[in-house]
């Protein structure tokens, strides 16, 4: 089976983790700080706060933005559940903005129209989670302008976009987002096994994020309401969580970061081959945007189902039967039973629903060979030819 994505590990990664295993620190040690600093430097950001996974990162980013009961969080329906669930964790209401039919990212024109209506109704969002789907940023400049006009906090969910750039600067630099979240799951661009990170340029927000990931505790006398009892002393000054990452994971992340440029180069080579090899088939291929250089976590095609006799599911299952581990990213979040119970229904976000009915994620990972890719293309061509 050729998977749709997989980690790329080598002896250097193994050695980095073993070095930590032989050290005095397995967690809450110096390797975490080195990893945070390296990520911040790579992304031209002020501060990085590493946590156990990207869902935790989204949660504490929302809390650091002040999101709570009575507030609204908006995001794209074409994303993983966590981009919306993070708002619910904070007690906020959640709504969605439909996607652009070309980029499959949040549609800025739809966002502007929805904001105009929300202002009249007194239901403007406190937070917008802008998802960099497949590794390509949304139109972040336009989103930042709307955030200044309507007063919401922008969190870029860049879980797919480690190493991507927008408007000539690294995703995560904070020029157009108040906070940026990355994921280090094994199928992502670089991995720590599990893990996530929040980037911010605000020292106050970074300190708040650090407290939130560790039970709301502080050892800083400035943040305490009474004098310290001694060197052992700490206070819990707010309700936080145990969202800490380990030094073992951070060591793997540091080692992986050394190979990021190579990973990106190979992903982009494979994407260029896909774009050329698939151009004559009844498919809608991804559309790169001029200001956004994607990290290409995913390579998604849309079946032109109106030209095919076979269904979306038949093509998908045919590829699986051929030993190709295709997937679908994503089932629109508003169609999940939990969100339907909150009042959402089929037809609410038609672009996201139309996309879902056609989308297939093809294999894409740095260790994928040209021969494997040729096999994927040949099998897809066979199935689509039979379906016409």
């Amino acid at each position: 089976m050729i998977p749709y994505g997989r980690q790329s590990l080598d002896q250097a990664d193994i050695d980095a983790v073993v070095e930590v295993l032989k050290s005095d620190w397995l967690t809450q040690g110096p390797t975490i700080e080195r990893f945070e600093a390296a990520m911040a430097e790579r992304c031209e950001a002020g501060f990085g706060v590493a946590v156990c996974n990207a869902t935790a990162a989204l949660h504490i980013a929302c809390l650091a933005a002040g999101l709570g009961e009575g507030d609204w969080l908006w995001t794209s329906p074409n994303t993983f559940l966590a981009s919306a669930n993070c708002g619910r964790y904070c007690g906020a209401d959640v709504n969605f903005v439909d996607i652009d039919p070309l980029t499959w990212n949040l549609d800025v024109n739809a966002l502007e129209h929805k904001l105009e209506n929300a202002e009249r109704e007194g239901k403007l969002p406190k937070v917008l989670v802008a998802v960099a789907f497949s590794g390509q940023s949304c139109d972040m400049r336009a989103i930042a302008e709307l955030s200044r006009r309507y007063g919401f906090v922008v969190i870029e969910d860049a879980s797919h976009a480690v190493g991507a750039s927008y408007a000539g600067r690294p995703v995560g630099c904070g020029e157009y987002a108040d906070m940026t979240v990355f994921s280090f799951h094994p199928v992502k661009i670089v991995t720590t096994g599990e893990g996530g990170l929040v980037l911010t340029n605000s020292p106050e927000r970074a300190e708040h994020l650090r407290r939130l990931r560790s039970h709301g505790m502080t050892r800083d006398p400035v943040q305490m309401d009474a004098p310290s009892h001694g060197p052992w002393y700490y206070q819990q000054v707010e309700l936080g969580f145990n969202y800490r990452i380990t030094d073992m994971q951070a060591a793997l992340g540091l080692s992986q970061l050394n190979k990021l440029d190579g990973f990106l180069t190979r992903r982009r080579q494979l994407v260029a081959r896909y774009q050329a090899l698939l151009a004559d088939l009844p498919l809608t291929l991804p559309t790169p945007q001029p200001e956004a250089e994607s990290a290409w976590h995913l390579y998604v095609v849309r079946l032109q189902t109106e030209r095919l006799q076979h269904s979306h599911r038949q093509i998908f299952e045919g590829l699986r039967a051929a030993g190709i581990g295709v997937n679908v990213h994503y089932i629109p979040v508003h169609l999940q039973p939990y969100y339907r119970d909150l009042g959402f229904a089929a037809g609410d976000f038609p672009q996201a629903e139309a996309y879902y009915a056609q989308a297939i994620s093809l294999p894409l990972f740095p260790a994928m060979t040209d021969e494997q890719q040729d096999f994927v293309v040949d099998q897809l061509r066979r199935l689509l030819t039979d379906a016409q």
Side-chain angles (χ1 to χ4, degrees), residues 337-353:
Y338 175 82
Y339 284 95
R340 284 192 278 109
D341 287 346
L342 295 177
F344 295 101
D348 285 349
F349 303 100
Q351 292 294 344
E353 293 169 32

Side-chain angles (χ1 to χ4, degrees), residues 187-214:
V187 297
K188 297 302 197 304
I189 309 298
V190 298
T191 186
T192 61
E194 277 278 11
L197 184 96
V198 187
L199 291 175
T200 178
N201 289 330
S202 164
E204 296 79 15
R205 194 164 269 160
E207 182 59 34
H208 192 189
L209 291 163
R210 293 187 192 104
R211 285 200 311 271
L212 287 167
R213 77 171 169 191
S214 191

Side-chain angles (χ1 to χ4, degrees), residues 46-280:
F47 307 93
V49 179
V51 291
C52 54
N53 55 60
T55 302
L58 285 165
H59 184 194
I60 64 172
C62 287
L63 290 171
L67 189 71
E69 291 187 16
D71 294 327
W72 285 91
L73 176 145
W74 291 4
T75 191
S76 168
N78 183 33
T79 186
F80 187 57
L81 306 170
S83 305
N85 289 350
C86 58
R88 300 296 293 159
Y89 298 156
C90 299
D93 294 305
V94 169
N95 208 336
F96 302 94
V97 180
D98 211 351
I99 64 171
D100 185 304
L102 291 179
T103 67
W104 313 333
N105 268 329
L106 183 148
D107 185 332
V108 172
N109 291 325
L111 173 63
E112 184 169 16
H113 180 70
K114 195 177 186 85
L115 287 166
E116 290 170 356
N117 290 335
E119 186 175 42
R120 287 192 292 269
E121 297 170 3
K123 293 183 178 180
L124 284 169
K126 181 76 167 282
V127 168
L128 177 76
V129 175
V131 179
F133 175 72
S134 82
Q136 178 172 251
S137 285
C138 302
D139 185 352
M140 296 302 295
R141 181 183 284 108
I143 287 172
E145 172 58 34
L146 290 170
S147 77
R148 288 188 288 271
R149 190 187 314 171
Y150 291 99
F152 56 85
V153 174
V154 178
I155 298 172
E156 184 169 16
D157 183 350
S159 294
H160 295 182
V162 175
S165 63
Y166 175 80
R169 296 194 65 195
V171 169
C173 70
E175 185 169 359
Y176 300 109
D178 298 284
M179 287 173 278
T180 301
V181 167
F182 288 136
S183 170
F184 307 117
H185 184 276
V187 297
K188 297 302 197 304
I189 309 298
V190 298
T191 186
T192 61
E194 277 278 11
L197 184 96
V198 187
L199 291 175
T200 178
N201 289 330
S202 164
E204 296 79 15
R205 194 164 269 160
E207 182 59 34
H208 192 189
L209 291 163
R210 293 187 192 104
R211 285 200 311 271
L212 287 167
R213 77 171 169 191
S214 191
H215 304 283
M217 297 189 316
T218 184
R219 295 181 186 274
D220 182 357
V222 175
Q223 298 179 32
M224 296 181 185
D225 67 355
S228 172
H229 297 178
W232 67 87
Y233 193 63
Y234 60 86
Q235 285 188 349
Q236 180 188 345
V237 297
E238 62 183 316
L239 183 62
F241 308 87
N242 186 358
Y243 282 170
R244 295 176 297 217
I245 197 170
T246 69
D247 277 53
M248 295 175 287
Q249 293 169 293
L252 178 55
L254 273 169
S255 180
Q256 287 268 293
L257 193 56
N258 292 330
K259 296 183 278 287
L260 175 57
D261 289 331
F263 291 164
L264 294 170
T265 296
R266 181 55 181 160
R267 285 178 178 275
R268 288 164 180 159
Q269 289 171 348
L270 289 166
V271 167
R273 292 190 87 242
Y274 267 141
Q275 296 285 86
L277 293 168
L278 300 175
D280 64 325

Side-chain angles (χ1 to χ4, degrees), residues 292-370:
E293 185 175 22
S294 179
W296 291 110
H297 163 53
L298 298 173
Y299 184 82
V300 181
V301 297
R302 291 179 65 168
L303 305 178
Q304 294 177 3
T305 46
E306 70 280 2
R307 298 173 58 187
L308 302 174
Q309 296 182 31
H310 293 342
S311 69
H312 181 223
R313 180 168 179 170
Q314 286 174 311
I315 300 296
F316 182 96
E317 290 183 342
L319 290 167
R320 282 279 181 96
I324 300 168
V326 289
N327 212 331
V328 172
H329 299 88
Y330 288 99
I331 304 167
V333 179
H334 70 284
L335 297 182
Q336 294 293 341
Y338 175 82
Y339 284 95
R340 284 192 278 109
D341 287 346
L342 295 177
F344 295 101
D348 285 349
F349 303 100
Q351 292 294 344
E353 293 169 32
Y355 161 88
Y356 169 59
Q358 300 174 326
I360 297 180
S361 298
L362 300 182
L364 180 65
F365 51 93
M368 187 179 186
T369 65
D370 288 359

Side-chain angles (χ1 to χ4, degrees), residues 277-288:
L277 293 168
L278 300 175
D280 64 325
L281 295 178
L283 300 168
T284 301
L285 304 183
T287 305

